[in-house]
């Protein structure tokens, strides 16, 4: 690896860790347990791909990016339930209001259908209730 490329890669990894910290401090040291023996670079590759190249681009702040992800996961329907729960939690941490999250989900009715939106709103209500319990 050339010195210039090495510096660029290191800067990208630092940026990815900073973005992960903004989403969820626990993601900063992301590890895919059980896969590291088989693929030792998987965790680093995931952080590079997701936070270094995708989520760390200029143009959108963390809250907006998370709202876009909520929209996409809503359209995917029940198959994305765990990811939707996690993303809603991250969006709240990034400053999204409950109403904004509900509106984003509602906007997906035309694209994902009423069953997908109903399920996503149920998931969101569950996350909202959990976060209220945590803050009490």
């Amino acid at each position: 690896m050339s010195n210039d490329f090495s510096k660029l890669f290191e800067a990208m990894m630092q940026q990815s860790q900073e973005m992960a910290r903004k989403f969820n401090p626990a993601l900063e040291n992301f590890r895919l347990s059980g896969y590291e023996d088989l693929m030792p670079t998987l965790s680093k590759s995931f952080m590079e791909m997701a936070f270094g190249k995708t989520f760390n681009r200029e143009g959108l702040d963390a809250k907006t990016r998370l709202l876009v992800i909520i929209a996409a996961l809503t359209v995917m329907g029940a198959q994305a339930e765990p990811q939707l729960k996690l993303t809603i939690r991250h969006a709240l941490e990034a400053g999204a209001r409950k109403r904004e999250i509900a509106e984003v989900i509602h906007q997906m009715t035309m694209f994902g259908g009423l069953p997908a939106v109903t399920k996503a709103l149920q998931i969101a209500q569950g996350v909202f209730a959990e976060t209220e319990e945590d803050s009490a």
Side-chain angles (χ1 to χ4, degrees):
M1 193 176 333
S2 74
N3 192 31
D4 288 340
F5 182 77
S6 182
K7 287 179 183 177
L8 178 65
F9 182 78
E10 185 59 35
M12 184 182 60
M13 288 307 294
Q14 287 174 353
Q15 289 174 338
S16 71
Q17 289 172 337
E18 180 60 31
M19 182 60 84
R21 248 191 309 281
K22 289 178 185 175
F23 280 4
N24 178 348
L27 288 176
E28 181 181 2
N29 297 310
F30 175 79
R31 298 286 180 264
L32 288 172
S33 303
Y35 292 103
E36 289 187 343
D37 289 340
L38 181 60
M39 297 181 69
T41 62
L42 186 60
S43 297
K44 189 172 185 177
S45 296
F46 174 80
M47 290 299 286
E48 174 191 343
M49 181 274 306
F51 294 104
K53 294 180 180 175
T54 304
F55 288 137
N56 210 16
R57 295 171 46 109
E58 292 182 21
L60 296 175
D61 61 14
K63 179 181 107 171
T64 304
R65 288 180 198 283
L66 289 161
L67 291 173
V68 170
I69 294 167
I70 289 170
L73 293 172
T74 296
V75 171
M76 290 178 68
Q79 68 183 3
E81 183 172 345
Q83 295 83 1
L84 183 58
K85 284 181 181 179
L86 185 62
T87 304
I88 291 170
R89 285 188 192 102
H90 292 329
L92 291 168
E93 288 293 322
R97 296 185 328 265
K98 294 175 186 175
R99 177 63 188 244
E100 290 174 310
I101 293 168
E103 286 294 331
V104 165
I105 292 170
H106 180 264
Q107 288 296 310
M108 295 302 103
T109 304
M110 185 90 144
F111 304 101
L114 192 57
V117 167
T118 302
K119 180 64 175 172
L121 287 171
Q122 289 172 346
I123 292 167
Q125 287 177 322
V127 172
F128 299 159
E130 289 172 11
T131 58
E132 287 173 5
E133 289 173 10
D134 291 344
S135 63

